[in-house]
Amino acid sequence: METGTSRVKRGMAEMQKGGVIMDVMNAEQAKIAEAAGATAVMALERVPSDIRAAGGVARMADPTIVEEVMKVVSIPVMAKSRIGHYVEAKVLESLGVDYLDESEVLTPADEVFHIDKHEFTVPFVCGAKDLGEALRRIGEGASMIRTKGEPGTGNIVEAVRHMRFINSQIRKVTNMSKDELYAEAKNLGVSYDLLVGVHEAGSLPVVNFAAGGIATPSDAALMMYLGADGVFVGSGIFKSDSPEKFARAIVEATTHYDDYKLIAEVSKNLGAPMKGIEISKLAPSERMQDRGW
Amino acid sequence: MKIGVLALQGAVAEHLRSLQLAGAEAISIKRTEQLEEIDGLVIPGGESTTIGKLMRKYGFIEAIQQFSEQGKPLFGTCAGLIVLSERIAGQDQPHLSLMDMTVSRNAFGRQRESFETDLDVVGIDEPIRAVFIRAPLIQEVGEQVQVLSTYQDEIVTARQGHLLACSFHPELTDDYRLHQYFADMVQEHIANQ
């Protein structure tokens, strides 16, 4: 009997496919998310849009919040550690969290090194905006990838850019000859073996979800159309007018992303989605996607 | 022989691949009308609360119960096993209520307790590599249910006539012998018609 194997960690992410993972800040929101059909919840002290508004250093959530959420739902509970913050990750693992997000939404703790994720029993998800970043994270032991997008903006444009870019890079790598792959591994700053794996499979070796700016059922369906395996919704649900309706509608639109009549139906009378932010209005220091390397 | 995989949420692609390796034509099922096209159905792993909720929403509960009444084989893995069972220990309403057994969700613990191991299964010669992810187990079974495998004295694979269920994820390995076992059940059903 073996725990924490790559198959067990990656397999856990496979079970999330076609699903919606929702950010929650307390037990009550976690129950709403579960009842709406979320496949997992991300327990946080503040959702990304509040982190933006508050400024300052964003850290791991108070363990009380994580435990409170774990107590009330039967679906998996995820939590975020800062990039490179080994101890926050270990603390969250000790609480029994089911998945860790080494996340650019929090203020990075290390500007050079990400966490060595291989030595953990708990699996990790990490953000990426291109194939190189995705494979570097997988090389460090990430068992699931998500687009970075631009968290807390309610603006889908960056998630679309990242998903399209990663998939176009995968298509390019798939068509490369062996000698080109050596040079491409160097260009991307990734392991040659991982790149050959992508070349042979025509996909990443782990699931790739969309995250960072999803605010409506149509946003979720768009990301599925672009090839996402599932979606994370951060501020989009609990910063909308009616979280329960938005949560249910986003779950249905993710399952039936190519059934436009159904998406029209579930999009009726939802009330206002979260207020969005135009990306060009963000100062460079406010761009969370530029954190991580 | 055409086998469907319920594609509301979860590990659908892996099941399609394993079924194809077992020699079946395999398709995703998203709408109840599609059940008419197939001879057997797999309910995959995923989150049972999500899958159950979407099944209810789109009329799959009654549709799959009717499918089963015709003797067409069903195979539930992990969340699919929970969805097939008549009783879920300590909580919610059951979903399809087809197999006479009581299941316990997340019975081995949280993700850090998830594991893989070699497992003997009745009807399959060599042990199979079984991947258990936040897996359920079968606490008790009725007289009509045959136990096909146990792990540490707990029931993890069972069959009741045309219904097959396991706690683990045979679709996550390249070993498709359990899918072959199910495909044989489907083939037998077709032959008997």
Side-chain angles (χ1 to χ4, degrees):
Chain A
M1 194 272 274
E2 294 168 77
T3 56
T5 63
S6 145
R7 196 141 59 187
V8 164
K9 289 158 130 182
R10 290 177 180 186
M12 161 76 198
E14 303 281 350
M15 296 312 135
Q16 293 286 313
K17 285 198 294 192
V20 183
I21 299 167
M22 302 182 189
D23 278 5
V24 299
M25 293 177 284
N26 53 48
E28 188 199 347
Q29 292 184 350
K31 281 193 265 185
I32 291 172
E34 183 176 48
T39 49
V41 289
M42 177 77 73
L44 293 168
E45 201 154 321
R46 287 177 292 187
V47 293
S49 66
D50 285 345
I51 290 174
R52 275 188 192 287
V57 174
R59 310 177 179 92
M60 169 186 85
D62 181 332
T64 319
I65 295 174
V66 179
E67 284 181 336
E68 191 185 306
V69 169
M70 281 168 44
K71 215 174 289 169
V72 299
V73 294
S74 65
I75 56 178
V77 176
M78 303 187 171
K80 289 183 195 290
S81 77
R82 282 180 263 178
I83 290 172
H85 207 310
Y86 176 84
V87 171
E88 281 189 352
K90 279 288 174 190
V91 168
L92 291 168
E93 182 180 50
S94 79
L95 295 176
V97 162
D98 297 294
Y99 232 93
L100 282 184
D101 185 355
E102 186 184 15
S103 177
E104 69 281 5
V105 166
L106 305 181
T107 310
D110 193 318
E111 292 189 331
V112 182
F113 302 108
H114 282 251
I115 297 168
D116 170 12
K117 295 165 270 287
H118 287 290
E119 71 152 274
F120 285 72
T121 306
V122 67
F124 277 77
V125 55
C126 288
K129 50 191 190 313
D130 56 54
L131 182 60
E133 212 171 7
L135 291 179
R136 284 193 294 279
R137 298 296 85 80
I138 293 165
E140 295 153 2
S143 306
M144 179 182 192
I145 293 294
R146 53 169 177 74
T147 60
K148 286 179 160 177
E150 192 51 51
T153 61
N155 191 335
I156 195 72
V157 68
E158 297 301 305
V160 167
R161 186 197 318 280
H162 300 160
M163 186 59 72
R164 277 197 180 276
F165 189 47
I166 290 173
N167 287 336
S168 79
Q169 286 181 300
I170 290 174
R171 281 191 294 272
K172 190 175 142 204
V173 165
T174 305
N175 287 321
M176 281 182 171
S177 61
K178 201 173 169 197
D179 50 353
E180 289 173 320
L181 288 172
Y182 289 108
E184 188 68 1
K186 174 176 166 284
N187 292 339
L188 294 176
V190 301
S191 123
Y192 171 74
D193 290 340
L194 278 177
L195 196 67
V196 169
V198 172
H199 169 75
E200 285 170 357
S203 64
L204 291 176
V206 302
V207 302
N208 187 15
F209 270 46
I214 295 162
T216 68
S218 294
D219 285 350
L222 174 64
M223 296 315 299
M224 295 299 286
Y225 162 77
L226 291 173
D229 289 312
V231 299
F232 283 86
V233 186
S235 322
I237 289 170
F238 291 100
K239 287 291 160 186
S240 71
D241 268 3
S242 49
E244 287 176 21
K245 283 190 193 169
F246 265 88
R248 277 199 304 265
I250 290 175
V251 167
E252 285 198 56
T254 304
T255 297
H256 289 291
Y257 64 91
D258 54 358
D259 185 339
Y260 309 115
K261 274 191 182 157
L262 182 144
I263 298 172
E265 209 48 50
V266 302
S267 301
K268 285 178 184 167
N269 301 313
L270 289 180
M274 71 175 285
K275 193 175 180 321
I277 301 174
E278 171 58 44
I279 303 294
S280 61
K281 299 281 193 295
L282 291 177
S285 64
E286 295 171 325
R287 286 165 57 89
M288 292 174 174
Q289 61 178 283
D290 297 334
R291 300 165 167 179
W293 18 91
Chain B
M1 172 179 42
K2 202 184 221 182
I3 299 179
V5 180
L6 187 66
L8 296 176
Q9 191 270 317
V12 176
E14 292 75 9
H15 272 296
L16 293 173
R17 189 212 52 193
S18 297
L19 288 167
Q20 281 156 2
L21 289 171
E25 187 183 340
I27 61 166
S28 304
I29 303 291
K30 281 199 167 187
R31 288 171 188 75
T32 52
E33 313 85 83
Q34 291 176 283
L35 292 172
E36 286 165 25
E37 296 172 41
I38 55 174
D39 309 302
L41 178 69
V42 173
I43 304 177
E47 280 307 316
S48 63
T49 51
T50 306
I51 295 174
K53 193 185 150 51
L54 292 170
M55 282 173 71
R56 217 159 257 123
K57 175 98 194 176
Y58 303 127
F60 270 107
I61 301 287
E62 303 72 29
I64 295 176
Q65 284 168 342
Q66 282 165 17
F67 183 86
S68 173
E69 271 169 34
Q70 300 164 44
K72 292 185 178 167
L74 287 157
F75 180 19
T77 63
C78 194
L81 170 148
I82 296 168
V83 167
L84 281 176
S85 65
E86 272 184 28
R87 297 171 296 280
I88 302 170
Q91 63 171 87
D92 32 32
Q93 66 206 99
H95 304 290
L96 289 169
S97 290
L98 289 172
M99 285 182 82
D100 183 9
M101 58 191 194
T102 306
V103 300
S104 160
R105 291 183 60 205
N106 302 332
F108 295 93
R110 305 196 71 95
Q111 173 60 17
R112 64 182 170 193
E113 278 87 40
S114 294
F115 62 98
E116 53 179 285
T117 190
D118 290 325
L119 194 71
D120 286 315
V121 180
V122 174
I124 293 176
D125 286 343
E126 300 287 315
I128 62 173
R129 191 71 181 166
V131 184
F132 290 82
I133 296 175
R134 288 172 46 94
L137 60 78
I138 304 169
Q139 284 184 343
E140 52 172 28
V141 295
E143 282 178 12
Q144 304 299 310
V145 180
Q146 183 196 3
V147 173
L148 297 185
S149 71
T150 57
Y151 174 73
Q152 294 182 343
D153 298 328
E154 306 282 3
I155 305 169
V156 294
T157 313
R159 177 174 176 180
Q160 179 182 341
H162 66 295
L163 307 169
L164 179 67
C166 65
S167 315
F168 54 93
H169 293 284
E171 76 281 10
L172 289 182
T173 66
D174 295 330
D175 184 346
Y176 58 88
R177 285 176 296 163
L178 204 54
H179 287 85
Q180 187 70 62
Y181 181 99
F182 179 64
D184 291 346
M185 285 168 60
V186 176
Q187 197 64 60
E188 202 177 320
H189 167 74
I190 295 170
N192 288 339
Q193 273 189 320

